[in-house]
Amino acid sequence: MTSARSEWKLTDGGNEIASRGKRSVREALLWTMVEKIVSGELPEGSTLPNEAELTDRFGVSRTSLREAMQYLSAIGMVRSRTRAGTTVLPRENWSYLDPLLLDVMLSIGGDESFYTSLIDARQLLEPAAAEHAARNATAKQLSRIAQAFEDMVDANARDNEEWSRADLEFHTAIINASGNWVYRQFASAIRAALLASFRLTNRASQSHEQAIKKHQDVLEAIRVRDAAAARIAMEALIGVARVEITDALKKHRISR
């Protein structure tokens, strides 16, 4: 008879952390392993317990554990070698844009350098993208930017998740309207990272009215084809995001 524990439940030292109707065993196992590495409970350079110990600890099958290890290896968090075992790799090897890794980082505060690096990249690229969008956007592309802005207005403070998604669409629509394929690739590659960043800053935002005004400034500059004003407005908008990220990370440090 197949063990119900291996089919339906995931435990950590006997404490249930997944069951049917919640996260699947695979999802919960991956989340738990990533969380232990990100939090430092399993530090960089450490060697994980062997397969038998891990299957016993988490109450999962060898197949489930091996699938999880393959995923962790694919995103650069661990490396397995014959006789040497499985080692946690340094953070510079991690695929920070992996959606699961992003979710875990956001849930526990993440690596501050991740957020500052992201905002630095945005500060370089997005003002230029806004400038190009003011020159190059088609009527359809302008409509998409405007629609994303309207979605932000409709969401406002009532639904943080909807606000964040509308915020993401606003910035993505501007990048796509720039006509620059490099900027477009940037947006496609880091959509998950941008959404994580927007969730963080939107939680920290003290004034949705201010945020609406800053986004409207960008939209209007693009709409009237004022490239210089579009660049300046986007620089100001990302400047506010930088302050909010700094505040959010500070609050997280204090809470810890």
Side-chain angles (χ1 to χ4, degrees):
M1 181 175 178
T2 303
S3 167
R5 186 177 75 167
S6 64
E7 281 191 359
W8 303 116
K9 296 182 179 179
L10 174 67
T11 61
D12 184 0
N15 298 313
E16 183 182 329
I17 55 179
S19 63
R20 192 175 189 182
K22 300 178 182 178
R23 284 195 185 109
S24 70
V25 169
R26 179 179 180 278
E27 290 170 340
L29 178 59
L30 279 171
W31 178 281
T32 301
M33 295 297 295
V34 171
E35 185 177 46
K36 288 181 181 297
I37 294 172
V38 171
S39 69
E41 183 178 338
L42 294 173
E44 298 172 34
S46 65
T47 301
L48 300 184
N50 63 38
E51 188 176 82
E53 291 176 285
L54 289 173
T55 55
D56 183 64
R57 175 172 180 172
F58 294 118
V60 297
S61 67
R62 290 178 181 269
T63 299
S64 294
L65 181 65
R66 287 171 182 172
E67 288 177 350
M69 290 303 170
Q70 287 173 357
Y71 187 99
L72 294 177
S73 179
I75 63 175
M77 298 192 80
V78 303
R79 178 173 59 204
S80 298
R81 288 183 174 175
T82 306
R83 299 189 184 89
T86 302
T87 304
V88 178
L89 294 175
R91 288 175 180 253
E92 55 262 31
N93 294 85
W94 300 358
S95 297
Y96 276 98
L97 304 183
D98 176 78
L100 173 60
L101 177 53
L102 282 171
D103 281 346
V104 173
M105 290 175 65
L106 184 62
S107 73
I108 64 175
D111 182 340
E112 292 189 18
S113 65
F114 163 76
Y115 291 104
T116 54
S117 294
L118 178 60
I119 204 73
D120 286 345
R122 293 182 62 200
Q123 191 77 64
L124 285 172
L125 291 176
E126 290 198 62
E131 180 179 354
H132 286 294
R135 294 193 182 107
N136 302 323
T138 64
K140 185 175 182 180
Q141 288 169 335
L142 285 173
S143 177
R144 286 177 179 169
I145 298 169
Q147 182 60 59
F149 174 75
E150 291 302 323
D151 290 342
M152 291 182 69
V153 172
D154 290 342
N156 206 336
R158 294 189 298 275
D159 190 326
N160 188 273
E161 184 64 19
E162 287 304 311
W163 170 281
S164 296
R165 292 189 180 280
D167 201 353
L168 173 64
E169 291 309 318
F170 180 84
H171 289 268
T172 302
I174 290 172
I175 291 172
N176 288 337
S178 71
N180 186 305
W181 69 268
V182 176
Y183 298 162
R184 288 173 177 168
Q185 289 296 312
F186 169 80
S188 297
I190 69 165
R191 275 184 67 88
L194 285 171
L195 183 55
S197 176
F198 293 148
R199 285 169 175 159
L200 179 67
T201 55
N202 290 337
R203 287 175 187 170
S205 179
Q206 299 299 307
S207 172
H208 279 79
E209 291 75 18
Q210 179 194 36
I212 288 290
K213 179 62 170 60
K214 293 293 184 184
H215 284 80
Q216 187 172 29
D217 289 344
V218 175
L219 171 61
E220 291 305 321
I222 293 174
R223 184 177 275 159
V224 301
R225 305 292 185 178
D226 189 333
R231 172 182 279 275
I232 292 170
M234 183 62 81
E235 287 173 346
L237 176 55
I238 295 178
V240 170
R242 185 184 293 277
V243 171
E244 291 178 343
I245 282 179
T246 301
D247 288 346
L249 294 174
K250 182 179 178 180
K251 288 177 182 176
H252 177 73
R253 287 196 302 271
I254 292 172
S255 68
R256 293 180 67 184

